């Protein structure tokens, strides 16, 4: 019971820190996220209305943190009969990156496709894949663990897109790429891909996380379709 309460307090604290960070940006574009699902994101012009919505959600979180219900961290997606548990990093992360993981693992995000790689292992292999990723790609976890994410690429994947992703990894930067990828069965899909890194409190590189979204067509300007790009909005506006 004490472990449950401690976990809830840590999660609530991460969300509060994330909200304070969003307000401190003093931007007109605000991302609104509930404990259970992405509520909305749109243009807000009144700081008063932003703060009002912010405090309302914070009150809900503080109320939840004192309740007896389990934390809303259930990216317990199902791929066939397999339950995919939320990612639990072995390395300690900075609060910003815990917040990103909490958002992706929260209820209502079970279909979000993402995988996590460890750049400190040979060839930067996959160490975690969400249920949404397994469903989107058609792979089982055993098919991809320990492999580089290049298995999603194929003959018609543009060389320029490959180079952009490779360059972002080498420079430890984030990137958004709209590219053609391949499922396990050989069928293709247009992937609005977002790559970012997860860092330790000392700002050292810990992991890479890639979020994949199937979109209708190739072309620029589709970054807001990717929840990873949205959740890290303060980094690239």
């Amino acid at each position: 019971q004490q472990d449950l309460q401690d976990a809830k307090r840590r999660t609530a604290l991460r969300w509060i820190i994330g909200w304070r960070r969003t307000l401190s940006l003093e931007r007109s574009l605000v991302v609104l996220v509930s404990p259970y699902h992405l509520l909305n994101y749109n243009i807000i012009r009144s700081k008063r209305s932003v703060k009002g919505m912010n405090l309302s959600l914070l009150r809900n979180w503080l109320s939840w943190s004192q309740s007896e219900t389990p934390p809303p961290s259930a990216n317990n997606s199902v791929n066939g009969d397999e339950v995919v548990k939320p990612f639990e990093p072995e390395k300690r992360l900075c609060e910003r990156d815990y917040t990103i993981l909490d958002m992706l693992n929260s209820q209502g995000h079970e279909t979000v496709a993402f995988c996590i790689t460890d750049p400190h292992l040979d060839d930067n292999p996959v160490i975690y894949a969400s249920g949404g990723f397994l469903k989107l790609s058609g792979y089982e976890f055993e098919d991809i663990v320990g492999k580089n994410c290049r298995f999603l690429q194929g003959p018609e994947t543009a060389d320029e897109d490959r180079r952009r992703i490779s360059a972002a990894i080498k420079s430890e930067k984030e990137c958004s790429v709209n590219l053609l990828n391949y499922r396990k069965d050989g069928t293709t899909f247009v992937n609005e891909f977002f790559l970012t890194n997860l860092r330790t409190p000392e700002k050292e590189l810990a992991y890479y996380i890639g979020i994949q979204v199937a979109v209708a067509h190739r072309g620029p300007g589709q970054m807001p379709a990717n929840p990873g790009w949205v959740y890290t909005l303060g980094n690239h506006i």
Side-chain angles (χ1 to χ4, degrees):
Q1 183 64 29
Q2 184 61 43
D3 289 344
L4 174 61
Q5 290 297 324
D6 289 345
K8 290 162 70 174
R9 291 190 187 98
R10 285 196 300 270
T11 304
L13 178 60
R14 289 172 194 159
W15 277 82
I16 292 169
I17 291 172
W19 271 110
R20 291 182 61 188
R21 183 173 179 275
T22 300
L23 286 177
S24 69
L25 294 173
E26 295 184 350
R27 306 285 188 175
S28 60
L29 186 58
V30 177
V31 181
L32 303 178
V33 182
S34 80
Y36 308 106
H37 58 283
L38 181 65
L39 286 179
N40 186 24
Y41 69 96
N42 53 52
I43 301 298
I44 303 294
R45 302 191 183 279
S46 166
K47 288 187 179 179
R48 180 177 300 176
S49 63
V50 171
K51 291 180 180 179
M53 284 181 263
N54 185 43
L55 291 175
S56 175
L57 289 177
L58 284 181
R59 280 195 295 269
N60 290 341
W61 267 87
L62 291 172
S63 174
W64 162 80
S65 70
Q66 301 300 319
S67 71
E68 299 301 320
T69 57
S73 58
N75 193 0
N76 293 335
S77 310
V78 178
N79 184 49
D81 295 326
E82 179 185 1
V83 175
V84 179
K85 296 181 179 180
F87 176 64
E88 297 180 359
E90 294 183 358
K91 305 169 189 177
R92 199 161 65 93
L93 302 179
C94 63
E95 288 298 335
R96 181 204 78 126
D97 294 340
Y98 276 124
T99 301
I100 294 171
L101 290 177
D102 286 342
M103 290 175 175
L104 292 173
N105 285 329
S106 64
Q107 289 186 6
H109 292 71
E110 291 84 359
T111 61
V112 174
F114 69 96
C115 61
I116 295 173
T117 67
D118 190 334
H120 301 291
L121 299 178
D122 185 45
D123 203 25
N124 191 24
V126 173
I127 60 170
Y128 176 85
S130 70
F133 180 91
L134 301 179
K135 183 175 181 181
L136 174 64
S137 66
Y139 287 94
E140 300 291 337
F141 182 70
E142 292 75 15
D143 297 332
I144 61 177
V145 64
K147 296 182 179 179
N148 186 280
C149 279
R150 286 188 295 270
F151 62 80
L152 289 175
Q153 300 173 5
E156 295 184 33
T157 303
D159 288 340
E160 175 60 25
D161 294 334
R162 301 175 197 252
R163 286 194 290 268
R164 287 179 61 193
I165 295 171
S166 178
I169 292 173
K170 288 179 180 178
S171 61
E172 299 184 8
K173 295 182 178 179
E174 65 180 34
C175 73
S176 292
V177 183
N178 181 275
L179 76 163
L180 189 71
N181 275 161
Y182 289 74
R183 298 183 177 89
K184 182 179 181 179
D185 63 8
T187 59
T188 60
F189 67 100
V190 179
N191 183 4
E192 183 60 39
F193 175 67
F194 177 71
L195 173 75
T196 191
N197 50 65
L198 303 177
R199 294 186 176 272
T200 68
E202 295 74 33
K203 306 303 180 183
E204 296 176 352
L205 178 65
Y207 306 103
Y208 282 105
I209 180 168
I211 300 94
Q212 296 81 12
V213 176
V215 294
H217 59 85
R218 293 291 307 275
Q222 301 185 68
M223 293 87 73
N226 190 303
W229 185 90
V230 172
Y231 292 160
T232 60
L233 194 58
N235 299 333
H236 40 257
I237 61 173

